């Protein structure tokens, strides 16, 4: 059996009881180690807690070496551990499909992920639209595919969760070209960089998907003991020091419920100022008032 097991967001003990019992019985245990990190645990603390050796599965192994992960899974139990939920922010359907092709049964053991835990900021989950990813810009590469999705969410009044880039075990272009297995230090996008990149794309496109005054919520270290939230304008976010990673950013939609707003006030510098931002934003993309069609004149 192949077991895909969610680990939660922070501690080694965030794994579910069923997940832990399953890990303990597996012959091999892999940890997907390139899309996210457990903020309060590392490989050694996981191995100590589970009582099992853990094999780190980097991007190359997961994307091109699925056969080695699945080797023997038709006879033995193999665990594939994922930070957050198995099918949360990053899905591993490709591994499941490969297992099915080989006739290997699989089971998923779920856990909390940023996709549901983000409700801790006070915004209602069913008021969120499409989730988008924001990657580090380079001098020659500034992808903006996220922009149209933000625009669509904003037009229908829904919040947008932006997942911020992390770079783990990445090679520089020069080292890659020379075939040198030298990896860059890990990098984690922070709130200020994300906001600056958003403003840069809006300035380039000029389509007004959002403005510097669009209200946002910074989400830092979600699910950890140092979890924090900060609400303010996008331009304020561009100067905000959110501290240690990991971070996400939420751009508010037009349909902010009074209860959501009341909850967000605890994360603002100035309640009245933030309220004005939200009220002004509610007029943004506001659909025109519906006017009933005129009745046909049936008189002669």
């Amino acid at each position: 059996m192949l077991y895909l097991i969610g680990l939660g967001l922070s501690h080694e003990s965030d794994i579910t009881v069923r997940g832990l019992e399953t890990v303990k019985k597996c012959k091999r245990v892999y940890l997907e180690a390139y899309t996210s990190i457990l903020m309060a645990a590392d490989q050694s603390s996981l191995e100590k807690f589970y009582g099992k050796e853990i094999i780190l599965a980097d991007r190359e192994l997961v994307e091109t070496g699925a056969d080695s992960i699945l080797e023997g899974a038709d006879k033995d139990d193999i665990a594939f551990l994922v930070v957050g939920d198995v099918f949360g922010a990053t899905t591993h359907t490709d591994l499941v499909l490969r297992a099915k092709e080989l006739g290997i049964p699989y089971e998923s053991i779920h856990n909390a992920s940023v996709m549901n835990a983000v409700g801790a900021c006070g915004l209602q989950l069913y008021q969120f639209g499409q989730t988008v990813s924001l990657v580090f810009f380079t001098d020659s590469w500034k992808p903006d595919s996220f922009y149209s999705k933000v625009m669509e969410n904003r037009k229908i009044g829904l919040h947008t969760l932006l997942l911020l880039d992390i770079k783990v075990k990445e090679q520089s272009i020069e080292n890659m070209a020379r075939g040198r297995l030298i990896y860059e230090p890990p990098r984690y996008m922070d709130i200020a960089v994300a906001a600056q990149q958003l403003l840069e794309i809006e300035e380039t496109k000029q389509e007004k998907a959002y403005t510097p005054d669009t209200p946002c919520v910074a989400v830092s270290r979600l699910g950890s003991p140092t979890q924090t939230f900060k609400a303010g304008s996008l331009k304020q976010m561009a100067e905000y020091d959110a501290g240690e990673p990991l971070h996400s950013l939420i751009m508010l939609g037009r349909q902010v419920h009074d209860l959501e707003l009341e909850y967000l006030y605890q994360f603002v510098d100035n309640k009245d100022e933030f309220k004005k931002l939200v009220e002004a934003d509610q007029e943004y993309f506001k659909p025109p008032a519906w006017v009933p069609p005129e009745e046909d004149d049936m008189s002669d």
Side-chain angles (χ1 to χ4, degrees):
M1 176 80 79
L2 170 67
Y3 290 96
L4 296 97
I5 303 172
L7 298 184
L9 295 170
S10 184
H11 293 86
E12 62 268 20
S13 55
D14 285 348
I15 191 171
T16 64
V17 173
R18 185 159 68 96
L20 180 58
E21 291 173 345
T22 302
V23 167
K24 288 181 177 294
K25 73 174 185 176
C26 286
K27 184 172 183 178
R28 295 197 311 278
V29 180
Y30 293 89
L31 172 63
E32 191 261 69
Y34 66 92
T35 59
S36 191
I37 59 170
L38 282 174
M39 289 171 286
D42 55 20
Q43 182 180 357
S44 61
S45 62
L46 290 176
E47 289 180 332
K48 182 178 180 180
F49 187 72
Y50 300 155
K52 301 284 291 188
E53 179 185 355
I54 290 176
I55 304 166
L56 292 182
D58 59 17
R59 184 187 299 273
E60 183 179 0
L61 177 59
V62 176
E63 294 182 351
T64 65
D67 287 347
S68 63
I69 295 175
L70 297 172
E71 184 179 358
D74 55 337
K75 302 180 180 67
D76 300 304
D77 291 326
I78 307 298
F80 184 76
L81 311 181
V82 181
V83 175
D85 184 55
V86 174
F87 300 113
T90 299
T91 64
H92 291 289
T93 51
D94 51 344
L95 187 61
V96 169
L97 291 173
R98 183 63 182 143
K100 289 175 70 68
E101 289 176 2
L102 297 172
I104 297 170
Y106 75 93
E107 183 176 335
S108 301
I109 301 176
H110 297 284
N111 209 319
S113 78
V114 63
M115 303 292 284
N116 52 26
V118 74
C121 74
L123 297 176
Q124 298 165 358
L125 292 179
Y126 55 79
Q127 289 280 66
F128 279 79
Q130 303 170 87
T131 297
V132 302
S133 296
L134 192 62
V135 303
F136 280 111
F137 287 175
T138 68
D139 291 339
S140 58
W141 188 60
K142 299 181 179 182
D144 58 9
S145 58
F146 67 87
Y147 187 87
S148 61
K149 294 180 180 179
V150 174
M151 175 78 84
E152 290 170 4
N153 288 344
R154 298 268 292 153
K155 281 186 174 180
I156 58 177
L158 299 179
H159 311 314
T160 302
L161 172 62
L162 297 106
L163 303 178
L164 309 189
D165 198 10
I166 72 170
K167 298 290 188 186
V168 178
K169 201 176 179 182
E170 298 276 341
Q171 291 177 272
S172 68
I173 295 176
E174 180 183 355
N175 285 330
M176 193 180 301
R178 295 177 179 272
R180 297 185 298 207
L181 292 178
I182 301 173
Y183 300 102
E184 301 292 295
R187 289 195 299 153
Y188 307 95
M189 185 182 290
D190 62 24
I191 298 298
V193 169
Q196 290 160 15
Q197 291 189 178
L198 287 165
L199 290 169
E200 181 178 349
I201 292 299
E202 177 54 55
E203 188 171 342
T204 299
K205 285 188 165 290
Q206 298 278 312
E207 296 177 17
K208 299 188 182 300
Y210 46 84
T211 75
D213 292 325
T214 296
C216 298
V217 181
V219 181
S220 300
R221 298 169 298 282
L222 184 63
S224 80
T226 60
Q227 165 182 292
T228 60
F229 304 106
K230 181 71 172 181
S233 68
L234 183 58
K235 63 184 176 185
Q236 289 173 327
M237 294 293 147
E239 299 177 354
Y240 174 53
D241 181 1
E244 294 295 312
L246 298 169
H247 307 288
S248 301
L249 183 65
I250 302 168
M251 191 174 290
L252 267 62
R254 183 182 67 252
Q255 302 179 84
V256 182
H257 191 277
D258 289 345
L259 189 59
E260 291 179 303
L261 188 57
E262 190 65 35
Y263 200 92
L264 289 177
Y265 284 152
Q266 63 186 303
F267 310 129
V268 304
D269 291 330
N270 186 303
K271 176 179 174 179
D272 292 335
E273 180 181 295
F274 187 74
K275 184 177 181 181
K276 288 179 181 177
L277 283 177
V278 173
E279 289 174 345
D281 196 61
Q282 288 175 341
E283 298 298 316
Y284 208 68
F285 291 132
K286 187 173 183 179
W290 180 76
V291 178
E294 295 183 5
E295 295 184 6
D296 291 338
D297 185 359
M298 303 298 292
S299 60
D300 292 329

